Amino acid sequence: METKLAIYGGKKVRETPFPNRRPFSSREEELLIQAVRSQNLFGKSGTMVRDFEKRIANFYGASFAQSSTSGTAAIHSAIGVVNPEPGDEIITAPITDPGSVMPILMQNAIPVFADVDPLTLNMRPDSIEANITDRTRAIILVHLFGRPCDIDPVVRIAQKHDLILIEDCSQAHATKYKEHYAGTFGHMGCFSMQQSKHMTTGDGGFIITNDEETYIRLKLFSDKGWDYQYMGDRDHAFLAPNYRMTELQGAVGLAQLEKVRSVVERRIELGTRLNEKISSASGIMAIPPEDNREVSWWNYIFHITAHNPDEFCSALRAEGISVSPHYIKDPIFLRGEFLTKGQTYGSSGFPFNSPYASKNYHYSPDLVPNAIKGLNTVAVVGIHEQMSKEDIDDIAIAINKVANFLSR
């Protein structure tokens, strides 16, 4: 095998592009045509969204499911159920999308960030509990990269402190922790169906729950505080946005739900193969499997522990492998002026600079040292269900090649 790195003039491991992901097929087309031919794309009076919600609930073994326009909308709806007072606190992850954070501020609550495991990048139960105060109302537990967090201890913490537990499963569709799917352990499970997710409608989302009162408020919150079934004639219960899903999204969602488990199983297979093939490479660390949970690899991650991550990834890209170091680069609270400068509602700084806040909030790297450590070494490689074993083997060959060369 060629040992000279491509970045130094050697032969590339991968000369041809990897296959593009193709999440849609004739089944989506079939259901979309049905939706269009119905002459009604309004979800509340159609059949696709209603059927999608029913089948989602059945798939996850939940009593109820509520659709939404995005994963961010799903999180916002869940926080609408929490109904925090201005200045109340909600604990979330420092390594996540803004969609796990902005909805907290949109309900005038204050985000608090628990630290993570530096290897998996998932929230640590001990840090969650350490951040609980008398103003804490809820926990948003974010399952990253298709790997469920340590859910059981977080459930116990939420019960002990009488907190609402929201699971953010945007990167962990149809993924089992022990014998049950992530998203079914808390009060609510929230899912994104953005284009990159295990199942996608381009944009879209949903929330599952077993509590009927929670479901009713989710339904009201997603529709301006009014629903035909639960409210009187144009009687709007409370301030709420419009997060209604259309029949087009519902149609695609139905087709996607039919195959999401097979998508997950294929990603588990490919990710396991890649893990095994790079496990002994020098200077990097593959994340070992855990017996009590699946990993459905929204993206594949590993850590570059004894090399410069940026140099390693540059060399890997030269071998024909798409890879990014550091994921989101910094904790999410350093990646937007909505937190670094309190740019929320005009120039008010609300809720931070308000009489409702219980203290001065300062977001700095020292709050989450493990997150800083993990982001410094992590590398992200895109894998998907339409890749072959040979594609995965090429990624592994390239990683081993770069690791072995740099170790010399």
Side-chain angles (χ1 to χ4, degrees):
M1 186 185 77
E2 171 76 44
T3 58
K4 186 178 183 181
L5 296 186
I7 201 170
Y8 298 132
K11 181 178 171 57
K12 293 171 65 172
V13 169
R14 181 78 180 204
E15 297 284 355
T16 58
F18 286 93
N20 291 324
R21 186 185 181 213
R22 298 177 61 84
F24 308 121
S25 65
S26 59
R27 179 61 172 156
E28 282 84 358
E29 294 175 5
E30 174 190 350
L31 292 176
L32 280 169
I33 289 171
Q34 286 183 29
V36 172
R37 287 179 176 172
S38 76
Q39 299 299 319
N40 171 57
L41 298 182
F42 182 49
K44 290 186 70 172
S45 59
T47 61
M48 296 291 183
V49 172
R50 190 181 309 129
D51 196 16
F52 173 71
E53 291 173 341
K54 184 182 300 183
R55 294 191 189 191
I56 280 287
N58 289 339
F59 179 88
Y60 281 97
S63 300
F64 307 98
Q66 174 61 41
S67 59
S68 66
T69 53
S70 68
T72 302
I75 295 289
H76 192 193
S77 299
I79 296 171
V81 171
V82 176
N83 196 24
E85 296 294 331
D88 279 349
E89 297 172 351
I90 295 178
I91 296 171
T92 188
I95 303 177
T96 188
D97 181 86
S100 304
V101 183
M102 287 182 174
I104 298 172
L105 289 166
M106 292 168 72
Q107 288 305 113
N108 298 311
I110 294 175
V112 173
F113 297 92
D115 207 355
V116 303
D117 178 275
L119 197 60
T120 67
L121 307 186
N122 271 334
M123 298 163 71
R124 288 177 47 152
D126 60 341
S127 184
I128 291 172
E129 187 158 34
N131 277 283
I132 293 172
T133 72
D134 59 1
R135 294 299 301 273
T136 307
R137 292 292 307 281
I139 301 163
I140 300 175
L141 186 65
V142 182
H143 305 298
L144 281 178
F145 295 105
R147 182 186 300 268
C149 298
D150 291 326
I151 301 176
D152 284 348
V154 180
V155 170
R156 290 192 292 269
I157 289 166
Q159 291 172 342
K160 174 182 174 182
H161 296 277
D162 193 24
L163 303 176
I164 293 177
L165 176 58
I166 300 165
E167 293 182 71
D168 182 347
C169 305
S170 297
Q171 297 182 6
H173 287 258
T175 306
K176 291 180 181 178
Y177 174 84
K178 298 186 176 177
E179 298 302 317
H180 301 281
Y181 289 133
T184 63
F185 293 84
H187 296 83
M188 290 167 277
C190 298
F191 297 76
S192 166
M193 293 191 292
Q194 182 268 344
Q195 182 72 21
S196 70
K197 303 306 191 289
H198 298 83
M199 58 179 286
T200 175
T201 54
D203 253 323
F206 59 89
I207 313 103
I208 57 175
T209 185
N210 287 316
D211 181 72
E212 186 172 12
E213 289 186 11
T214 294
Y215 168 68
I216 292 171
R217 188 166 177 92
L218 285 170
K219 184 160 283 295
L220 293 173
F221 192 88
S222 68
D223 190 14
K224 298 171 286 187
W226 181 59
D227 183 86
Y228 306 136
Q229 183 176 352
Y230 299 109
M231 299 300 296
D233 184 24
R234 305 303 299 181
D235 185 8
H236 298 263
F238 47 78
L239 180 67
N242 174 4
Y243 290 146
R244 295 190 302 249
M245 177 179 278
T246 73
E247 288 287 274
L248 294 175
Q249 290 168 298
V252 176
L254 283 168
Q256 290 280 296
L257 182 60
E258 292 173 0
K259 58 191 172 187
V260 65
R261 182 59 191 174
S262 65
V263 167
V264 164
E265 289 174 348
R266 178 63 174 170
R267 290 187 179 216
I268 291 170
E269 178 187 2
L270 296 178
T272 300
R273 184 180 185 90
L274 182 52
N275 238 32
E276 291 171 349
K277 287 183 174 291
I278 69 169
S279 60
S280 60
S282 181
I284 70 167
M285 180 175 290
I287 305 173
E290 297 165 275
D291 291 338
N292 62 355
R293 74 201 71 183
E294 297 176 331
V295 184
S296 56
W297 297 116
W298 172 69
N299 276 314
Y300 181 85
I301 63 171
F302 66 99
H303 289 270
I304 303 164
T305 55
H307 311 293
N308 180 295
D310 297 279
E311 292 178 0
F312 191 101
C313 289
S314 292
L316 196 54
R317 284 192 293 271
E319 300 294 339
I321 310 302
S322 179
V323 61
S324 300
H326 312 305
Y327 187 35
I328 61 170
K329 314 298 182 186
D330 300 299
I332 195 64
F333 53 75
L334 298 180
R335 303 300 295 180
E337 293 187 348
F338 67 100
L339 285 177
T340 59
K341 296 184 179 179
Q343 292 190 355
T344 51
Y345 300 94
S347 58
S348 68
F350 196 93
F352 303 106
N353 300 332
S354 76
Y356 300 103
S358 58
K359 62 182 180 181
N360 292 323
Y361 290 87
H362 177 64
Y363 299 107
S364 61
D366 60 284
L367 293 176
V368 287
N370 284 331
I372 298 294
K373 179 181 178 182
L375 288 170
N376 184 55
T377 60
V378 74
V380 182
V381 178
I383 66 172
H384 60 78
E385 60 276 9
Q386 272 124 18
M387 284 181 161
S388 67
K389 292 179 180 179
E390 290 74 23
D391 293 327
I392 295 299
D393 291 349
D394 279 350
I395 296 172
I397 289 167
I399 291 173
N400 281 293
K401 177 183 176 183
V402 172
N404 292 336
F405 184 92
L406 293 181
S407 294
R408 294 205 302 268

